[in-house]
Amino acid sequence: METVTLSLAEAYALSCRVLRENGFNDAHAASIADNVTAGERDGCASHGLWRLLGIVGTRRKGKISGEALPVVFDHAPAIVRADARGACSLLAYARALPLLIEKARANGIAALAINRCVHYSALFADVEPLTQAGLVGIACTPSHAWVAPAGGIRPLFGTNPLAFGWPRAGKPPFIFDMATSAAARGEIQLHLRSGTPLPPGWGIDREGLPTTDPQAVLEGAMLPFGGHKGSALAAMVELIAGPLIGDMTSAESLAWDEGAGGAPYGGELVLALDPARFLGDAAADHLARAERMFSELQAQGARLPGERRFLARQRSEREGVTISRSLYDDIVALSRAAP
Amino acid sequence: METVTLSLAEAYALSCRVLRENGFNDAHAASIADNVTAGERDGCASHGLWRLLGIVGTRRKGKISGEALPVVFDHAPAIVRADARGACSLLAYARALPLLIEKARANGIAALAINRCVHYSALFADVEPLTQAGLVGIACTPSHAWVAPAGGIRPLFGTNPLAFGWPRAGKPPFIFDMATSAAARGEIQLHLRSGTPLPPGWGIDREGLPTTDPQAVLEGAMLPFGGHKGSALAAMVELIAGPLIGDMTSAESLAWDEGAGGAPYGGELVLALDPARFLGDAAADHLARAERMFSELQAQGARLPGERRFLARQRSEREGVTISRSLYDDIVALSRAAP
């Protein structure tokens, strides 16, 4: 496969240019470019530069604002709200983050509800800044109704990712970011692009029968991970990042899209918990006990969630990121200035 | 199989008597009896009357206080702490609950950290009272190190249950309560009691090889549900209901037990979120949108988490609960007054 290697600065600059030329203002272009570059850098291709195709596609379909600036509200002692006003979630998150951190430190725990946002980014990027502030973070968001509940036959839930971050002194944070579906939607689309069958258990066709054909799953339904338990978690995400914060379920998001094929639209819930507020002077001692658990996990040969991502990050910072020539050409072609 | 049927009042009275005769004071005996009767009533045998054997066993091993009364602290604007002082979690939870509810309503979200508790009860009982107060509840607790991480070979995590409750106007709440292990420890012990093999995927033997022999899994390691994702969730529970609240990990709990075979000891984290505080006057409208999701789920033939439990509850309230004669005899034999 022919490939193109870009430095992180080049990947960011290309992303910014393409986004600005497609109607995103400087603030939105910068935050989205930063996010997709970070995804590619961290070895997460399904949330990397490839996402530019979808985000620009959503813009061209009129399903995302490239201009609206978010409004942040101090809603309750432990609740921050951010109205993204139809634009991307990332800028709303960034502007609400300082108040979320302040409230978590003051109260011990706080919640951020982002509303009316297009969510198209990897959730690990929404917990990592909390860990950098020494906080524990949990984030989740519905998507479009693509996933059948366990025991069901039709799409109802989104891929409904759940991310968790834990701060570690002097080390990369412990972070996981998992779809509650068996796979991320993007992974199925990458299989379709590459013409490879899906692993079993990822989805069912329109008749509700198991299949490994990516196209049949995209037309049928994806499945939750882990059977009834994953399905229950998907429902939890629907509820707490949907109706609880006054925003859409995945079914409502898909209906709102009206078949345009745009990115999911709705809300995101982020929780922040402050170990220092829970533990006071004993915080360092207790966090050291968490480190012993991580050491034992690694001593068994098991992998720490996020470990691979931080290794990829170090490599990408040295060597840049490598994507297929066809993806590179597709991205460049998004530029209105390009031939 | 010979069976014994008890009314709920009889099951509760028997439980209370056995507990009091084994050194639990009235307050602890009542809260534990209420919990195991509720588990049996709700069709959850692994958290039903059978648990009396374990709780009394833990008492006889000196690993639980039957007398110590919990102390509740107003720790931070959105944090309640309850020190169970080596006794059962249930009384600490009950005494801290009013302040947790008050803080959730005032701030939008609040956390309860229960410390130094023996946790031996079904977690659904720790979110249901929140739903009755109109709140969303999330609860989790480590246990003993019985579960190997995905990719690992030795026990490190507990069965680390996670429970979630969502209030529904005029209907039983939406509640799930799942071990992050493939099965609950109690289910494996029930297989051992009945001499039946385990379903594949529940555990590995001492050499790290898959097995369906309950005894080999009890001596080896249980497995998380859903591979790496379930394993990541188990780690999250360890962290947020362990070091974050200044309490033990599952490995530390097992070390503390010193081979006595007592119940897990450590902390529990409960989060409460108030839809009314998030949504204000629009709460009823948004909660109605959650109801539409539940309706669609049921229309597909999928089951609502907790549905089976509430059906069992209705039946038990009419007909009582039926347990095996051998379990009944074992429980009665716990009574010091019995022959």
Side-chain angles (χ1 to χ4, degrees):
Chain A
M1 186 178 72
E2 207 184 339
T3 60
V4 175
T5 297
L6 303 169
S7 72
L8 294 181
E10 288 167 341
Y12 176 82
L14 171 64
S15 303
C16 254
R17 177 165 64 87
V18 162
L19 290 160
R20 277 198 302 254
E21 286 172 0
N22 281 279
F24 290 92
N25 65 19
D26 286 355
H28 281 297
S31 66
I32 297 168
D34 190 57
N35 182 271
V36 297
T37 303
E40 196 70 44
R41 175 197 70 190
D42 289 3
C44 180
S46 64
H47 283 92
L49 298 178
W50 173 74
R51 288 263 157 171
L52 290 168
L53 308 185
I55 201 89
V56 168
T58 301
R59 177 87 190 100
R60 291 181 178 176
K61 287 159 189 156
K63 291 293 184 183
I64 186 172
S65 166
E67 300 281 342
L69 295 179
V71 182
V72 175
F73 303 92
D74 186 342
H75 181 81
I79 301 176
V80 186
R81 297 197 77 123
D83 183 353
R85 300 173 62 222
C88 178
S89 64
L90 292 165
L91 195 60
Y93 175 81
R95 298 212 172 164
L97 181 63
L99 186 56
L100 175 63
I101 291 172
E102 184 187 318
K103 283 183 180 293
R105 288 187 177 145
N107 299 298
I109 183 170
L112 163 63
I114 303 177
N115 289 114
R116 299 204 296 163
C117 70
V118 174
H119 207 289
Y120 204 61
S121 48
L123 268 187
F124 66 81
D126 293 351
V127 295
E128 193 176 329
L130 292 168
T131 65
Q132 287 163 345
L135 303 177
V136 175
I138 299 173
C140 59
T141 180
S143 63
H144 280 329
W146 287 322
V147 179
I153 50 169
R154 287 189 300 272
L156 176 63
F157 300 143
T159 51
N160 293 12
L162 178 70
F164 172 76
W166 177 267
R168 300 180 69 194
K171 292 187 179 167
F174 174 99
I175 290 182
F176 68 75
D177 173 6
M178 60 170 71
T180 53
S181 47
R185 186 85 173 168
E187 292 178 78
I188 293 176
Q189 290 165 323
L190 288 174
H191 275 272
L192 185 65
R193 263 183 91 90
S194 63
T196 52
L198 305 177
W202 283 20
I204 53 179
D205 65 19
R206 282 171 190 248
E207 275 70 48
L209 299 171
T211 177
T212 60
D213 175 3
Q215 187 61 41
V217 169
L218 292 173
E219 291 169 5
M222 299 163 67
L223 288 174
F225 91 99
H228 281 91
K229 293 185 181 186
S231 187
L233 287 169
M236 179 183 80
V237 171
E238 287 288 328
L239 292 166
I240 64 177
L244 175 67
I245 62 169
D247 222 313
M248 293 192 193
T249 60
S250 296
E252 291 166 340
S253 172
L254 193 60
W256 180 89
D257 186 59
E258 296 176 305
Y265 182 61
E268 175 183 356
L269 178 68
V270 185
L271 306 183
L273 299 94
D274 183 9
R277 201 74 174 89
F278 273 88
L279 297 167
D281 293 341
D285 289 350
H286 290 298
L287 297 179
R289 295 191 305 103
E291 293 302 318
R292 286 201 288 280
M293 188 185 84
F294 297 144
S295 299
E296 170 57 21
L297 199 148
Q298 292 177 302
Q300 294 194 24
R303 210 169 53 212
L304 228 48
E307 204 175 358
R308 196 165 50 176
R309 200 152 51 222
F310 287 101
L311 291 174
R313 181 178 301 189
Q314 292 172 346
R315 193 175 55 243
S316 300
E317 283 167 352
R318 285 194 314 270
E319 302 169 11
V321 292
T322 299
I323 60 174
S324 71
R325 162 66 64 179
S326 71
L327 173 58
Y328 178 79
D329 290 345
D330 286 351
I331 292 170
V332 170
L334 294 175
S335 171
R336 289 197 176 145
Chain B
M1 186 179 72
E2 208 185 336
T3 60
V4 175
T5 296
L6 304 168
S7 71
L8 294 181
E10 287 167 341
Y12 175 82
L14 171 64
S15 303
C16 255
R17 178 166 64 87
V18 162
L19 290 160
R20 277 198 300 254
E21 286 172 359
N22 282 278
F24 291 92
N25 65 20
D26 286 355
H28 281 297
S31 66
I32 297 168
D34 189 57
N35 183 270
V36 297
T37 303
E40 197 70 44
R41 173 198 71 191
D42 289 4
C44 180
S46 64
H47 283 92
L49 299 178
W50 173 74
R51 288 264 157 171
L52 290 168
L53 308 186
I55 202 88
V56 168
T58 301
R59 177 89 190 99
R60 291 180 178 177
K61 288 160 189 155
K63 292 292 185 182
I64 185 172
S65 166
E67 300 282 341
L69 295 179
V71 183
V72 175
F73 303 92
D74 186 341
H75 180 81
I79 301 176
V80 185
R81 297 196 78 124
D83 183 354
R85 300 173 64 223
C88 178
S89 64
L90 293 164
L91 194 60
Y93 175 82
R95 298 213 171 162
L97 182 64
L99 186 55
L100 175 64
I101 292 172
E102 184 187 318
K103 283 183 179 292
R105 287 187 177 144
N107 299 297
I109 182 170
L112 163 63
I114 304 176
N115 289 115
R116 299 203 295 163
C117 69
V118 173
H119 206 289
Y120 205 62
S121 49
L123 269 187
F124 66 81
D126 293 352
V127 295
E128 192 175 330
L130 292 168
T131 64
Q132 287 163 344
L135 303 177
V136 175
I138 299 174
C140 58
T141 180
S143 64
H144 280 329
W146 286 322
V147 180
I153 51 170
R154 287 190 299 271
L156 176 64
F157 301 143
T159 51
N160 292 11
L162 179 70
F164 172 78
W166 178 267
R168 300 180 69 193
K171 291 187 180 169
F174 173 100
I175 289 182
F176 68 76
D177 172 6
M178 59 170 72
T180 53
S181 46
R185 186 86 175 169
E187 291 178 80
I188 293 178
Q189 290 166 323
L190 288 174
H191 275 271
L192 184 65
R193 264 184 92 90
S194 62
T196 52
L198 305 176
W202 283 22
I204 53 180
D205 64 19
R206 281 172 190 246
E207 276 70 48
L209 299 172
T211 177
T212 59
D213 174 2
Q215 187 61 41
V217 169
L218 292 174
E219 290 169 5
M222 298 164 67
L223 288 174
F225 91 98
H228 281 90
K229 293 185 181 185
S231 187
L233 288 168
M236 179 183 81
V237 171
E238 288 286 330
L239 292 166
I240 65 177
L244 175 68
I245 62 169
D247 223 313
M248 293 192 192
T249 60
S250 296
E252 292 166 339
S253 172
L254 192 60
W256 180 89
D257 186 58
E258 296 175 303
Y265 181 60
E268 175 183 355
L269 179 68
V270 184
L271 305 182
L273 300 93
D274 183 9
R277 200 74 174 85
F278 273 88
L279 296 166
D281 292 342
D285 289 349
H286 289 298
L287 296 179
R289 296 191 302 103
E291 292 302 317
R292 287 202 289 279
M293 188 185 83
F294 297 143
S295 299
E296 169 57 20
L297 199 148
Q298 292 177 302
Q300 294 193 24
R303 208 169 55 213
L304 227 48
E307 203 174 0
R308 194 166 50 176
R309 201 151 49 223
F310 287 100
L311 291 174
R313 182 177 299 188
Q314 292 172 346
R315 191 176 55 244
S316 300
E317 283 167 351
R318 286 194 311 272
E319 302 168 14
V321 292
T322 300
I323 61 175
S324 70
R325 161 66 64 180
S326 71
L327 173 59
Y328 178 79
D329 289 345
D330 287 350
I331 292 170
V332 170
L334 294 175
S335 171
R336 289 198 175 144

